[in-house]
């Protein structure tokens, strides 16, 4: 059995927009991925390491432990050997307390890729390939998260292109989720959460 590590934030953790509830594993996209791979005869376990509010490389001034770079190398060591690491981060880099733009976030992703590739895995184990997924664009944040993401829709402009450029430089895989999904109109941040949406994607 092969193992895939998903390293993400609330978009992958499975928060239901405007609530603090969590979708079941088979409704979250990592669970849908595992099920779809199984449908095609692949024996793959998808490991979720997803923390609400996680940034690429920055701290949250109000909640500790949201810097995605801290401890990443050890997570790779813990779960090795890995067939793939999927990074789906960046949305929280554009919270209102930060003045980051797409380029800053792309450099955060580059630092995460470097940490994965330099992780202290056991001799003879493969360095896992990395797939970077650009999150859906923020659009008009609504509800309880609106103040937290005020201005995020303008700050995140060009994120997918910036990620694509970094991935080309680093020779890692890239996918733009905006080709398949959009931020939910409920909160303007997280993707549509129905299982059918994920399965059709």
């Amino acid at each position: 059995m092969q193992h895939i590590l998903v390293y993400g934030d609330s978009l992958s953790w499975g928060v239901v927009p405007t609530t603090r509830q969590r979708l079941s594993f088979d409704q979250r996209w990592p669970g849908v991925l595992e099920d779809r791979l199984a449908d095609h005869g692949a024996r793959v376990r998808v490991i979720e390491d997803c923390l609400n509010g996680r940034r690429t490389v920055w701290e949250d001034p109000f909640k500790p432990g949201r810097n995605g770079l801290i401890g990443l190398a050890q997570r790779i060591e813990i779960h090795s050997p890995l067939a793939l690491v999927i990074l789906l981060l960046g949305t929280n880099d554009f919270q209102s307390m930060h003045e980051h733009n797409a380029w800053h976030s792309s450099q955060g992703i580059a630092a995460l890729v470097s940490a994965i590739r330099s992780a202290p895995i056991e001799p003879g184990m493969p360095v896992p390939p990395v797939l970077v997924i650009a999150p859906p664009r923020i659009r008009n944040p609504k509800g309880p998260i609106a103040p937290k993401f005020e201005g995020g829709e303008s700050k995140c402009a060009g994120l997918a292109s910036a990620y694509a450029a970094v991935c080309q430089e680093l020779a890692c895989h890239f996918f733009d989720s905006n080709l398949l999904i959009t931020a939910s109109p409920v909160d303007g941040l997280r993707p549509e959460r129905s299982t059918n949406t994920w399965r059709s994607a």
Side-chain angles (χ1 to χ4, degrees):
M1 177 173 285
Q2 294 183 309
H3 293 78
I4 295 174
L5 177 65
V6 174
Y7 195 67
D9 54 22
S10 65
L11 278 68
S12 304
W13 187 85
V15 166
V16 179
T18 73
T19 77
R20 303 307 302 172
Q21 298 178 10
R22 188 183 192 188
L23 295 174
S24 62
F25 180 69
D26 62 345
Q27 293 177 307
R28 302 192 292 270
W29 78 259
V32 173
L33 173 62
E34 184 174 296
D35 288 346
R36 290 291 294 273
L37 290 171
D39 291 343
H40 288 81
R43 297 183 67 245
V44 177
R45 177 169 295 162
V46 177
I47 303 166
E48 297 173 296
D49 190 325
C50 307
L51 177 66
N52 295 339
R54 180 180 278 156
R55 278 80 162 150
T56 54
V57 297
W58 290 283
E59 297 288 352
D60 184 325
F62 307 120
K63 292 183 179 179
R66 266 57 183 179
N67 182 335
L69 187 58
I70 303 299
L72 175 56
Q74 286 69 42
R75 285 173 166 86
I76 301 303
E77 183 181 9
I78 289 167
H79 296 297
S80 288
L82 289 166
L84 178 68
V85 177
I86 301 177
L87 295 177
L88 177 46
L89 285 169
T91 300
N92 291 293
D93 291 357
F94 305 109
Q95 288 194 21
S96 56
M97 70 280 293
H98 302 304
E99 294 300 324
H100 305 140
N101 58 30
W103 182 85
H104 295 126
S105 191
S106 73
Q107 298 310 296
I109 284 291
L112 298 180
V113 172
S114 178
I116 292 167
R117 290 176 171 173
S118 60
I121 57 179
E122 293 298 320
M125 286 190 177
V127 175
V130 179
L131 167 62
V132 173
I133 301 180
R137 288 184 293 272
I138 300 169
R139 58 171 188 173
N140 189 25
K142 300 175 183 177
I145 65 167
K148 186 184 291 186
F149 284 91
E150 183 179 0
E153 61 268 40
S154 59
K155 289 189 287 187
C156 76
L159 184 63
S161 297
Y163 276 19
V166 161
C167 290
Q168 184 173 16
E169 293 173 7
L170 298 176
C172 63
H173 305 290
F174 170 75
F175 180 72
D176 180 6
S177 72
N178 293 280
L179 297 175
L180 294 176
I181 58 175
T182 59
S184 169
V186 176
D187 67 4
L189 179 71
R190 302 179 181 100
E192 295 288 356
R193 286 302 183 178
S194 72
T195 302
N196 289 336
T197 298
W198 288 119
R199 290 192 181 277
S200 65

